[in-house]
Amino acid sequence: VEGVGQLGTLITNLVAKLRQTCSAYSSYGMHKQVIELKKMLCQCLLIKGHGEDCIEYCTIPQGVSKMTIVTEWRKACERIYKRAVSKLSFSGVGNGVTSVITDSRCNGHITQLGSFERPVRLPAAIKGAKRAGAGRGPNVLLLNEVEDTYYNMAENVVIPKAHKKTYIKRLKTKIQSIPPDQKGVPLTDDSDGEGGDDTMGSRGSYAAAVVGIGASLKAVDMVVTGKCVNAFCAIRPPGHHAGLELRPMDAVSNGFCLFNAAACAAIYATTPLSQGGLGLRRVCVIDFDVHHGNGTQDILCSTYDPKYLYVSIHAGGAHINGYEDEGSEDESFRHLLGGRKTEGIFPGRCGDSSPHKGVLNIPLGMKVTASAMGSALVSQVTPRVEEFSPDLIILSAGFDAHENDPLGMGGLSAADFGHVTEVACQMAYKTCSGRILSVLEGGYGVPCCRPRNDLFLPPSEERLLDLGEDLPSNMDDEVHYTLRQKLDKCHEEGFLECVQSHVQSFVKCNIRK
């Protein structure tokens, strides 16, 4: 093929570089080994992208498929990537390693009494990850701190690329004005006082949201540069309803969300190396939260951008939310998250259709079932993702489609979430050497963790979730009686077991072959 002769040279030089690195690798100290692994893998992906550019502008003979050449080129580069990881891995770094990333600063986001999005979700997620093996050995890491480097990068570089300055300033100013001892303050209400009913917080909410973004950037770094195969970010508040501006795509509220970790991770991954990013060409975000991620779609795919594919499998549909020709002023569908007032499912019509080829929205009706989810993954998601051929897959991991979740919008079991994760990992193996990470979104089925102060029943008759040392001693868990009743069935299976199954599937799929 005329014009692509240099591709052979690029591949030959890349293989020679790998052999040279391997021959000297054992003489390096651990820190040097990590650096060399990162350099080698980044070079693989850089050359992969460069080669795609060469093919795009070369002359292809008649009868030869350009797409076939591109596909084979990508496969060749990914084979070298996998070979490098296999040869250069060692205990706790590289092949066979899953990371769970969290930070106690996320606990500083304190919502109001009665909120589904309670602070105990985070220690419950960590408990679930530990049950899946996190922190018990060198191959399932539990990383409890986000370094200042990632926090500062999130605050000063990446968040301003994902959210408008007016939104960031408004949110930061609002949070800074909250007295240190006050909690449950509306954070996303507009100038008329509307839209803040479900998204409330405290003085620590800004730092919690920023450190959550920092965790996602750290996960991208670790996965792409070979420190681990996959990673789960146990963070809160959630983020997939946070868009460029307040209440994106005509949503009635921000749905518990402040900053968007999935979108920020995708932006960081695709930012050129010269601008401090990782220079990936394509990132796919797959969102299996029970609600459509209107914020993620707003940030990454408001117009078509070939760098991104956004996939959302969620409850909804035009037959539920209404059709466009029924009048855009009709707000009957724009109810609050978890509090259906009339017909429709939050955030509304925005997830009922796909505006262009960079978005694949799959609404599954009033309730997400295992059969519908499985069918969507096999017949629609997998073919589209393989066609897109991402360099990285990011999961917006919401577990509110569980059958016992208090929102009552799903019929999935914890095992089903494990299967969803495995399918996503298989997509990642086929397209990008298994590079995949997840960020925690929704999922509210956490039984009560603290006794009621006004309980008339003897303490022995009150059933509490025992999170042990994972529950901070200063963390309260006040829950209304009606919500407590809904959460009781989560003792059998709930949010904690969903996270456990999700991380277990990551561990199961963390060997690059």
Side-chain angles (χ1 to χ4, degrees), residues 204-360:
S205 294
Y206 180 79
V210 173
V211 82
I213 305 301
S216 73
L217 306 185
K218 181 175 180 175
V220 171
D221 255 356
M222 293 189 70
V223 169
V224 173
T225 64
K227 289 183 179 179
C228 60
V229 175
N230 46 45
F232 168 61
C233 298
I235 56 176
R236 57 177 294 274
H240 73 150
H241 296 308
L244 288 166
E245 253 293 1
L246 191 65
R247 290 147 45 190
M249 302 185 76
D250 295 324
V252 71
S253 73
N254 255 43
F256 305 150
C257 300
L258 300 183
F259 294 138
N260 194 316
C264 285
I267 289 170
Y268 172 60
T270 55
T271 297
L273 286 167
S274 60
Q275 298 176 28
L278 294 180
L280 302 189
R281 296 303 179 95
R282 292 170 303 280
V283 171
C284 173
V285 177
I286 302 175
D287 189 332
F288 56 80
D289 188 280
V290 80
H291 299 97
H292 173 252
N294 56 315
T296 308
Q297 181 175 322
D298 182 50
I299 293 170
L300 300 179
C301 302
S302 56
T303 58
Y304 175 65
D305 186 331
K307 296 194 298 294
Y308 305 118
L309 172 64
Y310 176 67
V311 178
S312 180
I313 313 171
H314 53 271
H319 61 293
I320 296 170
N321 292 324
Y323 297 86
E324 290 297 335
D325 59 4
E326 293 179 358
S328 60
E329 297 303 315
D330 177 12
E331 298 189 356
S332 63
F333 66 88
R334 295 173 64 201
H335 55 74
L336 299 180
L337 184 67
R340 276 181 218 155
K341 290 183 176 179
T342 54
E343 297 178 358
I345 294 174
F346 182 89
R349 295 190 183 110
C350 50
D352 293 345
S353 61
S354 304
H356 51 72
K357 66 179 182 178
V359 175
L360 177 60

Side-chain angles (χ1 to χ4, degrees), residues 357-385:
K357 66 179 182 178
V359 175
L360 177 60
N361 284 324
I362 308 175
L364 298 181
M366 189 63 75
K367 202 163 190 174
V368 175
T369 64
S371 59
M373 174 70 80
S375 177
L377 285 169
V378 172
S379 64
Q380 298 183 67
V381 180
T382 297
R384 179 67 72 87
V385 173

